[in-house]
Every structure is written in C-alpha cells, then in structure tokens.
Amino acid sequence: MTKILFVCHGNICRSPMAEFIFKDMVKKNGRENDFYIESAATSNDEIFMGRGNPVYPPAREQLLLHGINPDGKTARRLTKADYDKFDLIIGMDKMNMRNIALMLGEDKEGKIKKLLDYCGGGDVDDPWYTGRFKEAYDCIYRGCSALFDELN
C-alpha cells in the first residue's frame, strides 16, 4: 500500500483538493486497497483550540462540481511522525516545500516532492489569495493525474 500525504499552508484549500481528487481517481480505477491518502498543513492557521476548520467553501464547491464530496475533512498540522508514516509527502508550492523541510528535517528517503514536478514543474498557486479556485482545481487535477500515472 502506498501512503500519500498532500500538504499546503492551511489544509483547507489545495491539499484537501489534492487528497479528494486523488482518492476519487483511485476509486474510479478500483485501486482503493492500494493507497492510503490524507492531507495536512504546515501552519496552525486553520486549527483553533485543537479543532481544524473544514474545507474552505469555494474549494469544497469545486470538488462538489466534479462529484467529489469532502465532508468530514478538517485541517490538521503536519507532524514529524508523518515522515515515517507516509511513503510520499507532496507539497503544493515552493513555500510549502521550505516549510515541510523545516518541520521534518532532512529527507533521507527522498519522500518529499512537489505536486507539479510530476507534470512539468511549477507551483499550485494558493487560491485563498488569488480567488482562482477553478484554476487551482484544474492544476491539482493535472498533478494528481501525472502522479497516479507514475505510481501505476
């Protein structure tokens, strides 16, 4: 079983979109037993008194438009233990990658990757700041498709 953790700043937009897009791909291809998929944040910005916020409404709307329901997902923070638990830890942009490295330390096993490195490189821009949730969905979908293809 391949265990994948998608990571962004707050775990309410990009990384949950990646988590649920990838889960949907896995399900549609009959591979649910081959993957374990979660998402996490590099910050505590969306976690209050130990409780994480749900998927941000515009990100949730994009998922629902594609028949993907993220209900029940709440933000959680990346932990050092995640490095041992997951086979791949996938960030969305260069700032996420920097913060993941600061939080987890040296990537001795080569587990830490950037999503769009699977399809030509670049960053998934944070739609929290840009308001471009459709574009973020499309970009994440492209990256997840390339990742899925590589893992098959």
Side-chain angles (χ1 to χ4, degrees):
M1 175 175 286
T2 302
K3 297 175 184 173
I4 302 171
L5 182 67
F6 293 101
V7 181
C8 70
H9 180 77
N11 193 216
I12 61 166
C13 296
R14 294 172 294 170
S15 61
M17 281 198 282
E19 173 186 350
F20 285 94
I21 288 168
F22 202 80
K23 283 180 176 177
D24 188 60
M25 286 179 183
V26 164
K27 183 177 181 182
K28 285 178 177 171
N29 285 277
R31 303 278 310 274
E32 297 99 328
N33 295 328
D34 298 332
F35 293 94
Y36 177 80
I37 305 146
E38 283 189 29
S39 62
T42 59
S43 77
N44 280 326
D45 291 356
E46 298 298 331
I47 302 165
F48 301 95
M49 300 178 73
R51 185 178 174 137
N53 283 330
V55 177
Y56 191 57
R60 182 178 187 279
E61 179 181 319
Q62 281 301 311
L63 290 167
L64 290 173
L65 285 171
H66 294 89
I68 303 170
N69 189 336
D71 285 355
K73 170 64 185 168
T74 57
R76 78 160 182 92
R77 189 157 192 224
L78 178 69
T79 67
K80 273 207 171 279
D82 287 327
Y83 190 82
D84 293 326
K85 180 178 179 179
F86 290 92
D87 301 306
L88 286 171
I89 299 169
I90 301 177
M92 300 293 129
D93 64 28
K94 64 184 174 215
M95 188 60 77
N96 300 152
M97 300 303 289
R98 183 187 72 88
N99 291 337
I100 291 167
L102 289 171
M103 294 172 77
L104 300 182
E106 185 181 351
D107 182 16
K108 295 177 185 175
E109 297 178 44
K111 296 180 175 189
I112 301 171
K113 310 285 185 191
K114 192 163 59 162
L115 181 62
L116 295 187
D117 286 350
Y118 290 96
C119 62
D123 289 343
V124 177
D125 293 331
D126 193 340
W128 173 265
Y129 299 105
T130 67
R132 299 177 59 157
F133 288 88
K134 180 193 179 314
E135 292 81 356
Y137 179 95
D138 293 343
C139 193
I140 292 165
Y141 186 90
R142 256 192 344 274
C144 285
S145 292
L147 171 61
F148 186 78
D149 289 346
E150 182 160 313
L151 295 175
N152 278 314

